[in-house]
Amino acid sequence: MRNLVSIILAAGEGTRMKSTLPKVLHQICGQPMLVYVLKVVLKVGCRKNYLVVGHKKEKVIEVLRNSLPLKKRGIEFVSQTRLLGSGNAVLQVKKNLRDYRGDVLVIYGDLPLLTGRTLKRLIQTHFKEDNSLTILGAPLENPSGYGRIIENSNGKGLRIVEERDATPKERRINRVNVGVYCFKLKDLFRAIDKIRPDNKKSEYYLTDVVQILGEMGKKVGIVITKDSNEVEGVNNRKQLANVQKYVNMKNLERLMLTGVTIVDPPSTFIDSTVGIGRDTIIYPGSTIFGKTRIGENCKLGPYAFIQDCQIEKGVEIRASFIYGAKIAERAKVGPFSHIRPGTFVGGDARVGNFCEVKKSRIGQGTKVSHLSYIGDAFLGKGVNIGAGTITCNFDGVRKNITRVGNGTFVGSDTKFIAPVKIGKRAVIGAGSIITEDVPAGKLAIARARQVIKKKKKM
Ligand code: UD1
Ligand code: MG
């Protein structure tokens, strides 16, 4: 690769999203839109990538830090304090490029569907034709909302006109500006200095440099992409939904072709970061996000929500929410359970109907079958937890631990007042409130004795 750096514009507010969240942080199948753009830019292998941030920049930086190893990938933030337009946004990087000689790729942060292939094609053409600027264009059946690429009437070069500034005749042109440009650095900043905010939005439009460079006698080239999907810029929630649908379908197709059954693709949402083994069946209404790994022969859904989990083979999860948990082979979860981060459900274990489990270890073959809350607990192997059992883990200050030994039988409606430790193969009578440790092999009953009295006459 020749000398190339990139500038990614992500400072805008995204007014048309009508949101308190910066536009570039809106999620597409579990990942912020800007992460898609960064990942594709990184494929090109630039020496440095400058990310221009402005509106709620702290939030944007924080989210990206959690999504990508920024320093390692040569990503540096540059601030745009006043949001005066895309031209002004690029200008903010001028000081960072003081000692740089080479070319610059500029890309908008709201183009999540752009592919590395198209970017590389643009860059190759740029170098091959030795252009001062190469722009990416696309013919769209419905070009509304986009800037149009127009041949100057004097036959001299190109210009881009935004829809709101275009004449009715110009609006009929269907070749749109995608929002990706490759510049010779020395020409870029000379042209940017000449941009004037003489348009309906009174902004410094980067797109004006197309005409300016032409007038300076510089060579402006164009690369056309025919894939209209790639071009979709996300400016409002309608476009966000379209893009999400497209990305999701791509993810599902990838999985189906590797042997995963997806019963109803339109109602199933899976992140591109998810891996799923063969012969796993995903039933309708399921969502699987984040760093999730799923083994072979699982049955997930209907209505399973799974995020950042490791799920081994043969697991069944029905109508449940599971975050940050590990579920071992052949375990069954649900229907209607909530498994929270830090939980391990052992092989062949069962967490059944209407249960919540938080930061706990459920041993192999253990059954928590109905209506329980298990929090900060260690349940051994082969434990039977009766319906309605609750670990009272929080004393108002601290979270306390409950331990239950292998093979113990816990009667229904037991309350464990933690911290408490129950030995192996103990038995807890139904309805007990256990406040003290129970030794191995013993029976504990902690409830008021039933009394039978003569009824008073009414
Ligand atoms: C822009 C193009 C339009 C093109 C379309 C493609 C301009 C003037 N118009 O319009 O020709 O067809 O993209 O999707 O460029 N930004 C900043 N700072 C600012 C303003 C914007 O960083 O002061 C960033 C935004 O965060 C965004 C990008 O620049 O990532 C483009 O801005 P946006 O408002 O989305 O421009 P469009 O109206 O989509
Ligand atoms: Mg846009």
Side-chain angles (χ1 to χ4, degrees):
M1 177 61 65
R2 305 262 282 274
N3 238 357
L4 191 69
V5 298
S6 77
I7 300 176
I8 302 133
L9 303 191
E13 182 181 342
T15 335
R16 288 162 280 177
M17 294 297 278
K18 310 254 187 287
S19 174
T20 54
L21 189 69
K23 174 170 74 173
V24 291
L25 294 188
H26 278 262
Q27 300 234 332
I28 295 164
C29 288
Q31 289 186 81
M33 180 188 322
L34 187 54
V35 171
Y36 286 83
V37 181
L38 284 174
K39 281 186 176 168
V40 82
V41 171
L42 291 174
K43 280 189 190 164
V44 170
C46 294
R47 287 176 37 172
K48 216 55 224 237
N49 304 286
Y50 298 96
L51 187 60
V52 182
V53 287
H55 177 68
K56 296 196 175 169
K57 64 176 181 185
E58 290 78 17
K59 180 92 189 134
V60 175
I61 294 171
E62 182 201 324
V63 170
L64 289 182
R65 278 201 210 291
N66 295 333
S67 314
L68 287 168
L70 301 173
K71 270 220 178 96
K72 221 168 98 194
R73 312 302 301 268
I75 297 171
E76 212 174 277
F77 295 100
V78 176
S79 287
Q80 184 189 17
T81 335
R82 293 171 63 211
L83 306 180
L84 301 177
S86 46
N88 177 262
V90 172
L91 193 58
Q92 307 311 309
V93 191
K94 191 174 178 181
K95 53 188 180 310
N96 301 67
L97 296 175
R98 228 179 2 231
D99 303 320
Y100 173 73
R101 305 279 169 272
D103 293 71
V104 186
L105 177 70
V106 177
I107 177 167
Y108 296 162
D110 61 355
L111 302 172
L113 299 186
L114 201 76
T115 63
R117 215 177 43 196
T118 300
L119 267 191
K120 282 179 188 156
R121 195 155 69 85
L122 179 82
I123 296 161
Q124 273 161 10
T125 309
H126 177 73
F127 285 125
K128 207 171 90 202
E129 295 181 356
D130 195 26
N131 292 330
S132 178
L133 161 64
T134 314
I135 58 177
L136 187 64
L140 284 192
E141 239 170 70
N142 174 12
S144 75
Y146 290 89
R148 313 292 205 281
I149 302 173
I150 294 172
E151 303 272 352
N152 270 331
S153 49
N154 56 8
K156 276 194 189 157
L158 301 169
R159 69 192 164 94
I160 295 174
V161 62
E162 293 306 302
E163 175 151 296
R164 68 183 75 79
D165 302 310
T167 62
K169 195 175 155 208
E170 287 168 336
R171 283 186 194 177
R172 283 198 292 275
I173 290 168
N174 74 344
R175 190 168 60 169
V176 305
N177 170 37
V178 177
V180 189
Y181 319 80
C182 212
F183 290 95
K184 277 197 172 123
L185 177 81
K186 57 179 173 29
D187 295 334
L188 167 64
F189 289 118
R190 260 193 274 158
I192 282 190
D193 286 340
K194 296 190 178 167
I195 299 175
R196 295 288 164 259
D198 49 4
N199 50 61
K200 291 236 168 81
K201 274 179 93 181
S202 301
E203 281 188 0
Y204 292 84
Y205 285 166
L206 179 64
T207 43
D208 286 355
V209 296
V210 175
Q211 180 163 4
I212 294 171
L213 284 170
E215 285 166 359
M216 286 163 68
K218 303 287 177 186
K219 201 171 156 202
V220 178
I222 179 165
V223 166
I224 297 290
T225 171
K226 294 231 164 57
D227 182 354
S228 58
N229 291 309
E230 270 196 75
V231 181
E232 181 108 24
V234 178
N235 298 302
N236 59 41
R237 312 262 183 161
K238 255 174 81 184
Q239 288 171 317
L240 183 72
N242 284 345
V243 165
Q244 162 129 312
K245 196 168 158 191
Y246 178 83
V247 172
N248 188 47
M249 205 43 79
K250 286 268 171 212
N251 293 344
L252 300 184
E253 281 167 10
R254 168 181 66 86
L255 290 166
M256 289 189 275
L257 294 176
T258 57
V260 178
T261 294
I262 293 172
V263 175
D264 183 37
S267 74
T268 306
F269 298 90
I270 303 183
D271 201 338
S272 52
T273 48
V274 171
I276 305 184
R278 278 180 183 207
D279 290 322
T280 282
I281 305 179
I282 320 269
Y283 291 100
S286 295
T287 299
I288 309 174
F289 280 171
K291 295 183 194 95
T292 296
R293 288 282 163 275
I294 292 170
E296 298 179 353
N297 287 305
C298 293
K299 291 193 169 81
L300 309 177
Y303 305 105
F305 184 99
I306 301 168
Q307 184 161 3
D308 298 327
C309 287
Q310 191 178 331
I311 291 174
E312 292 181 356
K313 60 184 171 195
V315 165
E316 292 185 21
I317 295 171
R318 289 188 287 154
S320 292
F321 280 79
I322 309 191
Y323 303 83
K326 183 172 172 186
I327 316 286
E329 287 179 24
R330 297 176 301 281
K332 289 192 170 75
V333 175
F336 312 112
S337 280
H338 186 189
I339 311 288
R340 294 166 50 194
T343 293
F344 169 79
V345 177
D348 297 298
R350 164 128 187 67
V351 177
N353 314 259
F354 305 98
C355 291
E356 177 176 349
V357 182
K358 179 223 131 184
K359 209 175 169 189
S360 292
R361 192 177 171 87
I362 313 284
Q364 189 181 357
T366 287
K367 292 187 171 62
V368 185
S369 294
H370 328 271
L371 299 151
S372 284
Y373 171 62
I374 306 293
D376 303 295
F378 294 86
L379 310 183
K381 295 180 187 167
V383 172
N384 197 315
I385 300 283
T389 294
I390 285 173
T391 53
C392 307
N393 56 332
F394 188 46
D395 57 16
V397 182
R398 249 170 274 119
K399 300 284 167 65
N400 299 297
I401 288 173
T402 301
R403 293 178 196 277
V404 179
N406 295 344
T408 282
F409 179 93
V410 178
S412 294
D413 202 22
T414 293
K415 309 280 176 286
F416 289 113
I417 314 293
V420 70
K421 187 174 171 191
I422 317 299
K424 292 179 186 171
R425 289 179 296 282
V427 173
I428 311 292
S432 288
I433 297 184
I434 299 294
T435 54
E436 285 161 37
D437 292 354
V438 177
K442 301 290 186 203
L443 163 70
I445 305 177
R447 62 182 186 229
R449 204 170 252 291
Q450 182 172 328
V451 285
I452 307 275
K453 288 186 178 171
K454 215 170 156 188
K455 251 172 68 182
K456 271 190 190 154
K457 283 225 167 78
M458 297 292 205

